[in-house]
């Protein structure tokens, strides 16, 4: 049964996670990861009792990130138990607790990054889990919407090969992998490492599949629930390419003071945030395609998942 308050709360949690990703990007881009050298305490004090007057410089970014992460964790506890109490779908109940488990593990990895002085792969895993968590809660927000409880006719007609469903699934997967490559590049501490070439290759793949999916969607359906997010993805894709190029050249020419150059910091963080927005929109598109998709050999009953 549709619960508008649960849905709105899910959307609120997803938005908070997006801001948390932005805050995490600020920590990395300003080199503030070890501004608070201990964990879970902050300079020997309970992190929630740390004086606001001492939150300056890198401490502001790192400690602020921890406080926001704690807030998001608290919201996720509420979300998981609220879904368990009010949503009759067993798979949704499980998904709520999967989200809770992921945010707990992510928090632990965040602590490990501090304890072991920002090891690259641990830091990159922390960033990857953040994107995974964002995907899960974005899905929950969609699955708790009124749309997902309303029976509908299939409005995406496609008999091409590869199918539109395959293309959008590949697009979401490629976008996710590309964000992992970006995290590895960001945490490698070098913009000229082999991770750069991996990231560029991923960008080309996302551009290819994103363009192909957008063109196929425009010809396959007039459903605004699919057209709008796919158009948003295509716009974000163009912005992201520009930000990526700008971020590289700004960082390349300000390498000695990259953590104090705010043009570089803001460009890099916006690049990260735009990537997260692309991931969310591509995920929504692929899930909605899965819901509305139909070929000449498939009936609507085959694609009515997540309604009951």
């Amino acid at each position: 049964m549709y619960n508008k308050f649960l849905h709105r709360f899910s959307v609120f949690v997803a938005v908070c996670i997006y801001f948390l990703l932005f805050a995490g990007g600020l920590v990395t881009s300003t080199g503030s990861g070890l501004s608070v050298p201990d964990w879970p305490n902050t300079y020997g004090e309970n992190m929630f009792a740390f004086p606001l007057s001492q939150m300056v410089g890198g401490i502001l970014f790192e400690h602020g990130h921890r406080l926001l992460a704690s807030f998001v964790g608290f919201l996720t506890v509420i979300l998981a138990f609220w879904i368990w109490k009010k949503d009759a779908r067993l798979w949704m109940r499980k998904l709520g607790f999967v989200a809770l488990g992921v945010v707990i593990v992510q928090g632990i990895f965040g602590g490990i990054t501090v304890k072991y002085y920002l090891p690259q792969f641990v830091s990159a895993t922390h960033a990857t889990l953040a994107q995974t968590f964002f995907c899960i809660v974005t899905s929950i927000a969609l699955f708790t919407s009124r749309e997902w409880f309303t029976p509908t006719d299939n409005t995406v007609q496609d008999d091409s090969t590869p199918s539109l469903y395959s293309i959008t699934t590949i697009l979401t997967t490629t976008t996710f992998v590309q964000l992992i490559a970006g995290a590895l590049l960001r945490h490698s501490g070098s913009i000229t490492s082999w991770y750069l070439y991996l990231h560029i290759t991923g960008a080309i793949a996302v551009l290819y599949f994103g363009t192909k999916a957008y063109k196929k969607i425009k010809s396959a359906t007039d459903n605004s629930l699919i057209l709008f997010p796919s158009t948003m993805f295509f716009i974000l894709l163009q912005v992201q390419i520009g930000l990526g190029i700008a971020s590289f050249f700004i960082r390349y020419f300000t390498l000695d003071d990259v953590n104090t150059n705010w043009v570089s910091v803001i460009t890099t963080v916006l690049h990260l945030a735009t990537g997260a927005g692309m991931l969310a929109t591509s995920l929504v598109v692929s899930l909605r395609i899965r819901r509305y998709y139909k070929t000449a050999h498939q009936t609507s009953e085959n694609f009515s998942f997540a309604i009951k």
Side-chain angles (χ1 to χ4, degrees), residues 122-251:
V122 175
S123 297
T125 300
H126 178 64
T128 300
L129 285 170
Q131 298 288 354
T132 304
F133 179 48
F134 184 45
C135 285
I136 294 171
V137 177
T138 297
S139 299
I140 289 174
L142 184 61
F143 294 152
T144 56
S145 66
R146 186 186 298 276
E147 167 197 350
W148 230 255
F149 289 88
T150 304
T152 182
D153 294 329
N154 297 94
T155 57
V156 180
Q157 303 291 332
D158 176 45
D159 296 292
S160 61
T161 303
S163 68
L164 184 56
Y165 174 61
S166 297
I167 290 294
T168 52
T169 300
I170 292 171
L171 174 61
T172 301
T173 304
T174 305
T175 303
F176 183 78
V177 173
Q178 169 68 345
L179 291 178
I180 296 175
L184 287 169
L185 174 61
R186 194 164 58 252
H187 290 285
S188 70
S190 172
I191 61 169
T192 58
S193 66
W194 71 271
Y195 295 117
L196 174 64
Y197 302 101
L198 178 64
H199 196 50
I200 292 174
T201 302
I204 294 171
V206 172
L207 177 62
Y208 172 78
F209 288 114
T211 303
K212 191 175 184 66
Y214 178 65
K215 290 180 177 179
K216 285 174 70 71
I217 287 171
K218 286 184 68 177
S219 63
T221 182
D222 59 357
N223 187 334
S224 61
L225 292 174
I226 297 173
L227 280 175
F228 179 73
S230 64
T231 302
M232 285 299 301
F233 179 89
F234 194 67
I235 292 172
L236 289 173
L237 176 58
Q238 313 312 308
V239 173
Q240 182 73 333
I241 291 173
L243 285 171
I245 294 172
S247 178
F248 172 78
F249 282 106
I250 292 171
R251 288 177 64 87

Side-chain angles (χ1 to χ4, degrees), residues 4 69 270:
K4 69 176 181 180
L270 286 177

Side-chain angles (χ1 to χ4, degrees), residues 50-88:
F50 187 75
L52 295 178
S53 60
Q54 296 183 31
M55 288 179 60
V56 294
I59 298 175
L60 172 64
F61 297 119
E62 171 61 12
H63 186 63
H65 176 61
R66 293 186 186 187
L67 292 178
L68 182 55
S70 298
F71 178 63
V72 168
F74 175 70
L75 293 178
T76 309
V77 172
I78 296 174
L79 179 63
F81 282 96
W82 195 346
I83 292 173
W84 185 264
K85 182 72 174 178
K86 294 296 184 180
D87 201 310

Side-chain angles (χ1 to χ4, degrees), residues 288-301:
R288 282 178 170 163
I289 288 289
R290 175 68 172 84
R291 176 171 163 79
Y292 293 101
Y293 182 75
K294 179 182 178 182
T295 70
H297 306 291
Q298 294 165 326
T299 63
S300 59
E301 286 79 12

